[in-house]
């Protein structure tokens, strides 16, 4: 795993003003172009396989304004910075594009793979089955999960530090914003770790078993929402005391009010199911079955 500090000179090389203006004002890649790039790279960085990525122009957009699939590829934030700031030559980039990581390694180091058509997550000892927003703080979604095509997991997350600075904004596995120099990613085919700084894990998502396990620390409005272990704590106070650990929720999400230190359960759709079952395996199966009843039918 590469440490961001080993890339310090690359990451902190400033862009020229003209290049920065082009990057800030350019349109987003067309939807079909992004889809083809994701499929080609098998949903991970072409260089290292990390499943959080950006759309990189091998021929720089500042030089030629284009969205040609053959001259673009997926790169994670760190690899993207390396390529954009000259640490990878065009020839090296072409080689990476043609022989991308996930193809060489058969996905073993690449995309989050769940092998299922649903999301079931254990967070703070609470079982949530469904897809879409799972955690909302003060009306802002902080974490969403949904199953994508070919069994890969789609993740959206908003991570702040304790001062309210945006560390990372991830939308359907695409890193939208955030400083690559101050956060780090580690990924296997069924595990994702996001660090806000050295030795500071902001989110640890393991999909190695059923349900997936989430351990996370989310900052919002100066308060810490702690989903590690059993219990949902806000600034050290168990704010989810009314939510029994023996329950499962289908089609529902956690809503946190940091000011009042309160956690509530709310529905993702118009309705949801509450399942009470002592046996954890039976509880999971009942929650999945309940979600299948709630899930909108695709047309």
């Amino acid at each position: 795993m590469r440490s961001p500090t080993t890339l310090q000179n690359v990451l902190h090389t400033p862009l020229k003003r003209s290049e920065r203006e082009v990057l800030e004002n350019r349109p987003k890649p067309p939807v079909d172009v992004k889809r083809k790039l994701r499929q080609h790279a098998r949903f991970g960085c072409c260089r290292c396989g990390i499943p959080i990525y950006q759309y990189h122009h091998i021929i720089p957009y500042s030089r030629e304004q284009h969205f040609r699939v053959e001259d673009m590829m997926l790169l994670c934030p760190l690899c993207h910075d390396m390529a954009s700031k000259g640490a990878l030559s065009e020839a090296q980039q072409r080689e990476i594009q043609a022989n991308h990581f996930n193809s060489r390694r058969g996905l073993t180091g690449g995309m989050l793979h769940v092998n299922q058509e649903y999301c079931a997550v254990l967070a703070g000892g609470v079982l949530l089955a469904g897809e879409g927003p799972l955690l909302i703080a003060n009306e802002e979604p902080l974490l969403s999960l949904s199953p994508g095509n070919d069994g890969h997991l789609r993740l959206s997350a908003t991570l702040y530090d304790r001062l309210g600075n945006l560390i990372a904004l991830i939308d359907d596995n695409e890193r939208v914003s955030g400083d690559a120099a101050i956060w780090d990613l580690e990924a296997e085919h069924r595990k994702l770790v996001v660090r806000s700084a050295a030795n500071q894990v902001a989110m640890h998502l393991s999909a190695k078993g059923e349900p997936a396990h989430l351990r996370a620390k989310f900052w919002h409005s100066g308060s810490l929402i702690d989903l590690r272990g059993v219990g949902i704590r806000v600034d050290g106070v168990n704010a989810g005391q009314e939510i029994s650990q023996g329950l499962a929720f289908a089609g529902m999400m956690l809503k946190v009010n940091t000011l009042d230190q309160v956690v509530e359960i709310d529905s993702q759709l118009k309705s949801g199911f509450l399942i009470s079952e002592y046996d954890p395996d039976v509880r999971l199966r009942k929650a999945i079955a309940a979600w299948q009843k709630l899930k909108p039918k695709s047309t």
Side-chain angles (χ1 to χ4, degrees), residues 42-43 56 65 117 148 173 189 204 226 252 263 269 274 289:
R42 298 192 185 181
F43 307 97
H56 170 68
Q65 298 183 16
E117 296 181 353
N173 289 19
H189 68 298
H204 183 290
D226 194 337
M252 306 184 83
V263 178
L269 305 172
L274 183 154

Side-chain angles (χ1 to χ4, degrees), residues 38 51-53 55 146 154-157 170-174:
R38 291 194 301 267
I52 305 301
Y53 44 73
Y55 299 92
S146 58
R154 292 161 44 197
L155 176 144
S156 297
I170 302 168
D171 183 18
D172 270 356
N173 289 19
E174 178 183 350

Side-chain angles (χ1 to χ4, degrees), residues 53-246:
Y53 44 73
Q54 295 173 295
Y55 299 92
H56 170 68
H57 287 73
I58 299 173
I59 296 179
Y61 189 88
S62 58
R63 186 199 312 167
E64 184 179 342
Q65 298 183 16
H66 72 91
F67 290 110
R68 295 189 300 269
V69 172
E70 62 270 22
D71 292 320
M72 297 177 66
M73 63 176 164
L74 292 193
L75 289 177
C76 74
L78 290 179
C79 293
H80 193 185
D81 274 343
M82 291 180 67
S84 297
K85 296 174 182 176
L88 296 173
S89 67
E90 181 175 330
Q92 290 174 315
Q93 294 179 47
R94 296 286 184 190
E95 175 63 22
I96 291 168
Q97 179 204 44
N99 300 283
H100 57 79
F101 185 94
N102 284 346
S103 177
R104 299 196 315 271
R105 298 288 296 274
L107 302 183
T108 55
M111 70 183 188
L112 287 168
H113 211 277
V114 292
N115 293 319
Q116 57 204 30
E117 296 181 353
Y118 62 87
C119 292
V121 178
L122 191 66
V126 177
L127 177 62
L128 301 167
E131 60 186 67
L134 294 181
L135 175 66
I136 291 179
N138 306 318
E139 305 302 323
E140 181 179 8
L142 297 185
L143 178 68
S144 298
L145 294 174
S146 58
N149 297 327
D150 302 320
H152 79 285
L153 191 64
R154 292 161 44 197
L155 176 144
S156 297
T158 304
L159 298 173
Y160 296 99
D161 65 16
R162 67 178 63 212
L163 299 177
N165 300 310
L166 181 65
I167 297 173
L169 176 60
I170 302 168
D171 183 18
D172 270 356
N173 289 19
E174 178 183 350
R175 200 289 294 262
V176 177
S177 63
D179 186 351
I182 61 172
W183 63 292
D184 188 22
L185 291 166
E186 178 184 350
E188 297 177 4
H189 68 298
R190 306 192 78 179
K191 182 183 79 172
L192 175 67
V193 181
V194 180
R195 295 181 178 87
S196 57
N199 301 318
Q200 295 184 25
V201 175
M203 182 169 62
H204 183 290
L205 178 64
S206 174
K208 293 182 178 180
E210 293 187 62
H213 281 65
L214 173 70
R215 294 170 55 86
K217 296 186 296 183
F218 289 95
W219 286 94
H220 200 277
S221 303
S223 292
L224 175 62
I225 303 167
D226 194 337
L227 296 177
R228 296 173 298 172
V230 176
I232 304 165
R233 294 176 292 279
V234 178
D235 294 331
V237 176
N238 188 352
Q241 297 185 57
E242 303 301 321
I243 304 174
S244 170
Q245 305 303 312

